[in-house]
Amino acid sequence: MPVPKRIARAEGIVSRAMLEHVKITTGDVEGAPEDVMCEAYELALTREGAVIKASSEKGKRYALVTLNQLKALMGTAEVEACTIRDWPLY
């Protein structure tokens, strides 16, 4: 699995079940270069569920791919709450 550009830990533990609750919002991703903003995403794993922020459908799709990869790796385990920000590097 590729390594995201930024991962920031947050307080708390997130259960696999909570990651089935996904909220998707639209907006620019902090730190992403303007030329790849349309592919950038932010994925926050919180006690309330997953929150995706992206400025385009392509960014939202990449965030969902990452979320699904994480869920597959987790199995039934729990993970630390965190925020992942990623974008392509051309």
Side-chain angles (χ1 to χ4, degrees):
M1 180 184 304
V3 177
K5 305 298 178 281
R6 297 184 183 167
I7 300 176
R9 289 185 174 174
E11 193 171 315
I13 299 294
V14 181
S15 71
R16 168 69 167 74
M18 288 312 300
L19 296 183
E20 297 303 322
H21 303 276
V22 180
K23 178 181 177 183
I24 301 177
T25 64
T26 302
D28 288 345
V29 175
E30 181 183 326
E34 282 299 318
D35 61 332
V36 293
M37 186 62 74
C38 67
E39 297 180 66
Y41 67 87
E42 179 178 293
L43 172 60
L45 307 179
T46 74
R47 290 182 219 165
E48 291 77 35
V51 180
I52 292 171
K53 180 168 77 169
S55 64
S56 73
E57 291 302 314
K58 190 179 265 189
K60 291 172 188 175
R61 185 171 59 247
Y62 291 148
L64 288 169
V65 167
T66 299
L67 178 60
N68 288 330
Q69 289 172 336
L70 286 170
K71 290 191 298 190
L73 288 172
M74 287 173 67
T76 59
E78 297 176 328
V79 295
E80 285 186 55
C82 66
T83 298
I84 298 167
R85 290 185 183 96
D86 200 15
W87 51 85
L89 179 64
Y90 294 116

